[in-house]
mmCIF file of all heavy atoms in Angstrom:
data_model
loop_
_atom_site.group_PDB
_atom_site.id
_atom_site.type_symbol
_atom_site.label_atom_id
_atom_site.label_comp_id
_atom_site.label_asym_id
_atom_site.label_seq_id
_atom_site.Cartn_x
_atom_site.Cartn_y
_atom_site.Cartn_z
ATOM 1 N N GLY A 241 -93.170 65.419 113.001
ATOM 2 C CA GLY A 241 -91.979 64.728 112.536
ATOM 3 C C GLY A 241 -90.818 65.194 113.398
ATOM 4 O O GLY A 241 -90.836 66.309 113.933
ATOM 5 N N LEU A 242 -89.829 64.346 113.551
ATOM 6 C CA LEU A 242 -88.650 64.692 114.349
ATOM 7 C C LEU A 242 -87.421 64.744 113.458
ATOM 8 O O LEU A 242 -87.276 63.931 112.541
ATOM 9 C CB LEU A 242 -88.431 63.660 115.461
ATOM 10 C CG LEU A 242 -89.580 63.477 116.444
ATOM 11 C CD1 LEU A 242 -89.241 62.382 117.448
ATOM 12 C CD2 LEU A 242 -89.903 64.782 117.156
ATOM 13 N N THR A 243 -86.538 65.690 113.752
ATOM 14 C CA THR A 243 -85.306 65.788 112.996
ATOM 15 C C THR A 243 -84.542 64.469 113.063
ATOM 16 O O THR A 243 -84.652 63.731 114.050
ATOM 17 C CB THR A 243 -84.450 66.967 113.510
ATOM 18 O OG1 THR A 243 -83.455 67.273 112.549
ATOM 19 C CG2 THR A 243 -83.825 66.668 114.856
ATOM 20 N N SER A 244 -83.808 64.152 112.016
ATOM 21 C CA SER A 244 -83.063 62.891 111.962
ATOM 22 C C SER A 244 -81.870 63.052 111.034
ATOM 23 O O SER A 244 -81.751 64.053 110.323
ATOM 24 C CB SER A 244 -83.960 61.768 111.454
ATOM 25 O OG SER A 244 -84.300 61.987 110.099
ATOM 26 N N ASP A 245 -81.010 62.052 111.018
ATOM 27 C CA ASP A 245 -79.883 62.076 110.082
ATOM 28 C C ASP A 245 -80.387 62.060 108.645
ATOM 29 O O ASP A 245 -79.774 62.657 107.760
ATOM 30 C CB ASP A 245 -78.956 60.881 110.320
ATOM 31 C CG ASP A 245 -78.200 60.987 111.639
ATOM 32 O OD1 ASP A 245 -78.070 62.118 112.177
ATOM 33 O OD2 ASP A 245 -77.743 59.951 112.139
ATOM 34 N N ASP A 246 -81.490 61.361 108.396
ATOM 35 C CA ASP A 246 -82.054 61.293 107.047
ATOM 36 C C ASP A 246 -82.723 62.595 106.631
ATOM 37 O O ASP A 246 -82.774 62.928 105.454
ATOM 38 C CB ASP A 246 -83.081 60.160 106.945
ATOM 39 C CG ASP A 246 -82.443 58.796 107.078
ATOM 40 O OD1 ASP A 246 -81.442 58.545 106.376
ATOM 41 O OD2 ASP A 246 -82.953 57.987 107.872
ATOM 42 N N LEU A 247 -83.275 63.317 107.589
ATOM 43 C CA LEU A 247 -83.979 64.562 107.306
ATOM 44 C C LEU A 247 -83.646 65.591 108.386
ATOM 45 O O LEU A 247 -84.462 65.897 109.260
ATOM 46 C CB LEU A 247 -85.480 64.303 107.237
ATOM 47 C CG LEU A 247 -86.345 65.431 106.689
ATOM 48 C CD1 LEU A 247 -85.953 65.790 105.264
ATOM 49 C CD2 LEU A 247 -87.807 65.028 106.728
ATOM 50 N N PRO A 248 -82.407 66.131 108.345
ATOM 51 C CA PRO A 248 -82.017 67.107 109.382
ATOM 52 C C PRO A 248 -82.705 68.445 109.142
ATOM 53 O O PRO A 248 -82.640 68.993 108.054
ATOM 54 C CB PRO A 248 -80.504 67.214 109.200
ATOM 55 C CG PRO A 248 -80.266 66.849 107.770
ATOM 56 C CD PRO A 248 -81.354 65.870 107.393
ATOM 57 N N MET A 249 -83.367 68.936 110.168
ATOM 58 C CA MET A 249 -84.076 70.213 110.040
ATOM 59 C C MET A 249 -83.310 71.376 110.646
ATOM 60 O O MET A 249 -83.687 72.525 110.465
ATOM 61 C CB MET A 249 -85.449 70.104 110.699
ATOM 62 C CG MET A 249 -86.368 69.101 110.032
ATOM 63 S SD MET A 249 -86.649 69.419 108.281
ATOM 64 C CE MET A 249 -87.658 70.871 108.365
ATOM 65 N N GLY A 250 -82.255 71.080 111.383
ATOM 66 C CA GLY A 250 -81.468 72.132 112.011
ATOM 67 C C GLY A 250 -80.352 71.533 112.822
ATOM 68 O O GLY A 250 -80.173 70.314 112.844
ATOM 69 N N PRO A 251 -79.618 72.372 113.548
ATOM 70 C CA PRO A 251 -78.412 71.919 114.241
ATOM 71 C C PRO A 251 -78.646 71.284 115.612
ATOM 72 O O PRO A 251 -77.700 70.766 116.197
ATOM 73 C CB PRO A 251 -77.611 73.213 114.386
ATOM 74 C CG PRO A 251 -78.667 74.268 114.531
ATOM 75 C CD PRO A 251 -79.775 73.827 113.609
ATOM 76 N N ASN A 252 -79.862 71.321 116.116
ATOM 77 C CA ASN A 252 -80.104 70.880 117.487
ATOM 78 C C ASN A 252 -80.845 69.547 117.550
ATOM 79 O O ASN A 252 -81.415 69.091 116.556
ATOM 80 C CB ASN A 252 -80.867 71.965 118.254
ATOM 81 C CG ASN A 252 -80.065 73.243 118.339
ATOM 82 O OD1 ASN A 252 -78.865 73.219 118.594
ATOM 83 N ND2 ASN A 252 -80.707 74.368 118.098
ATOM 84 N N GLU A 253 -80.855 68.957 118.730
ATOM 85 C CA GLU A 253 -81.478 67.644 118.920
ATOM 86 C C GLU A 253 -82.998 67.722 119.006
ATOM 87 O O GLU A 253 -83.697 66.881 118.467
ATOM 88 C CB GLU A 253 -80.928 67.002 120.203
ATOM 89 C CG GLU A 253 -81.521 65.666 120.518
ATOM 90 C CD GLU A 253 -81.009 65.067 121.814
ATOM 91 O OE1 GLU A 253 -80.085 65.639 122.433
ATOM 92 O OE2 GLU A 253 -81.542 64.020 122.221
ATOM 93 N N HIS A 254 -83.516 68.714 119.687
ATOM 94 C CA HIS A 254 -84.955 68.785 119.965
ATOM 95 C C HIS A 254 -85.678 69.677 118.962
ATOM 96 O O HIS A 254 -86.112 70.786 119.277
ATOM 97 C CB HIS A 254 -85.194 69.246 121.400
ATOM 98 C CG HIS A 254 -84.677 68.263 122.383
ATOM 99 N ND1 HIS A 254 -83.499 68.451 123.060
ATOM 100 C CD2 HIS A 254 -85.154 67.058 122.759
ATOM 101 C CE1 HIS A 254 -83.280 67.418 123.839
ATOM 102 N NE2 HIS A 254 -84.268 66.542 123.662
ATOM 103 N N ILE A 255 -85.786 69.158 117.730
ATOM 104 C CA ILE A 255 -86.463 69.865 116.653
ATOM 105 C C ILE A 255 -87.618 69.005 116.161
ATOM 106 O O ILE A 255 -87.446 67.832 115.841
ATOM 107 C CB ILE A 255 -85.514 70.165 115.480
ATOM 108 C CG1 ILE A 255 -84.373 71.069 115.940
ATOM 109 C CG2 ILE A 255 -86.282 70.809 114.322
ATOM 110 C CD1 ILE A 255 -83.311 71.311 114.879
ATOM 111 N N ALA A 256 -88.795 69.611 116.133
ATOM 112 C CA ALA A 256 -89.997 68.951 115.621
ATOM 113 C C ALA A 256 -90.523 69.798 114.472
ATOM 114 O O ALA A 256 -90.313 71.016 114.433
ATOM 115 C CB ALA A 256 -91.050 68.833 116.722
ATOM 116 N N TYR A 257 -91.192 69.166 113.521
ATOM 117 C CA TYR A 257 -91.631 69.901 112.335
ATOM 118 C C TYR A 257 -92.831 69.210 111.702
ATOM 119 O O TYR A 257 -93.157 68.063 111.993
ATOM 120 C CB TYR A 257 -90.503 69.962 111.294
ATOM 121 C CG TYR A 257 -90.190 68.600 110.724
ATOM 122 C CD1 TYR A 257 -90.853 68.138 109.591
ATOM 123 C CD2 TYR A 257 -89.293 67.753 111.351
ATOM 124 C CE1 TYR A 257 -90.613 66.863 109.095
ATOM 125 C CE2 TYR A 257 -89.050 66.485 110.865
ATOM 126 C CZ TYR A 257 -89.702 66.045 109.737
ATOM 127 O OH TYR A 257 -89.480 64.786 109.255
ATOM 128 N N TRP A 258 -93.446 69.902 110.817
ATOM 129 C CA TRP A 258 -94.397 69.305 109.874
ATOM 130 C C TRP A 258 -94.651 70.295 108.761
ATOM 131 O O TRP A 258 -94.367 71.482 108.887
ATOM 132 C CB TRP A 258 -95.697 68.864 110.525
ATOM 133 C CG TRP A 258 -96.361 67.832 109.640
ATOM 134 C CD1 TRP A 258 -97.556 67.942 108.995
ATOM 135 C CD2 TRP A 258 -95.819 66.570 109.278
ATOM 136 N NE1 TRP A 258 -97.798 66.808 108.254
ATOM 137 C CE2 TRP A 258 -96.724 65.940 108.405
ATOM 138 C CE3 TRP A 258 -94.636 65.899 109.585
ATOM 139 C CZ2 TRP A 258 -96.508 64.696 107.842
ATOM 140 C CZ3 TRP A 258 -94.419 64.655 109.039
ATOM 141 C CH2 TRP A 258 -95.356 64.067 108.181
ATOM 142 N N GLY A 259 -95.157 69.787 107.680
ATOM 143 C CA GLY A 259 -95.463 70.616 106.532
ATOM 144 C C GLY A 259 -96.889 70.387 106.093
ATOM 145 O O GLY A 259 -97.532 69.412 106.496
ATOM 146 N N GLY A 260 -97.351 71.276 105.277
ATOM 147 C CA GLY A 260 -98.715 71.179 104.791
ATOM 148 C C GLY A 260 -98.769 71.135 103.277
ATOM 149 O O GLY A 260 -97.766 71.322 102.584
ATOM 150 N N TRP A 261 -99.942 70.904 102.803
ATOM 151 C CA TRP A 261 -100.203 70.815 101.370
ATOM 152 C C TRP A 261 -99.725 72.083 100.684
ATOM 153 O O TRP A 261 -100.028 73.188 101.117
ATOM 154 C CB TRP A 261 -101.695 70.614 101.167
ATOM 155 C CG TRP A 261 -102.153 70.543 99.754
ATOM 156 C CD1 TRP A 261 -101.524 69.940 98.699
ATOM 157 C CD2 TRP A 261 -103.358 71.098 99.236
ATOM 158 N NE1 TRP A 261 -102.270 70.064 97.563
ATOM 159 C CE2 TRP A 261 -103.407 70.784 97.862
ATOM 160 C CE3 TRP A 261 -104.403 71.812 99.783
ATOM 161 C CZ2 TRP A 261 -104.450 71.158 97.040
ATOM 162 C CZ3 TRP A 261 -105.442 72.188 98.963
ATOM 163 C CH2 TRP A 261 -105.465 71.856 97.616
ATOM 164 N N GLY A 262 -98.941 71.935 99.659
ATOM 165 C CA GLY A 262 -98.492 73.072 98.878
ATOM 166 C C GLY A 262 -97.164 73.660 99.287
ATOM 167 O O GLY A 262 -96.621 74.501 98.594
ATOM 168 N N GLY A 263 -96.616 73.249 100.435
ATOM 169 C CA GLY A 263 -95.298 73.712 100.827
ATOM 170 C C GLY A 263 -95.194 74.407 102.168
ATOM 171 O O GLY A 263 -94.103 74.770 102.595
ATOM 172 N N SER A 264 -96.302 74.641 102.862
ATOM 173 C CA SER A 264 -96.211 75.302 104.162
ATOM 174 C C SER A 264 -95.422 74.432 105.131
ATOM 175 O O SER A 264 -95.416 73.209 105.030
ATOM 176 C CB SER A 264 -97.596 75.609 104.719
ATOM 177 O OG SER A 264 -98.343 74.423 104.877
ATOM 178 N N THR A 265 -94.727 75.088 106.050
ATOM 179 C CA THR A 265 -93.834 74.380 106.965
ATOM 180 C C THR A 265 -93.874 75.049 108.334
ATOM 181 O O THR A 265 -93.937 76.274 108.424
ATOM 182 C CB THR A 265 -92.383 74.428 106.439
ATOM 183 O OG1 THR A 265 -92.345 73.931 105.107
ATOM 184 C CG2 THR A 265 -91.445 73.620 107.305
#
Side-chain angles (χ1 to χ4, degrees):
L242 301 178
T243 196
S244 67
D245 291 339
D246 293 310
L247 191 60
M249 296 303 289
N252 298 317
E253 179 182 354
H254 296 103
I255 298 174
Y257 67 90
W258 201 244
W261 178 39
S264 60
T265 306

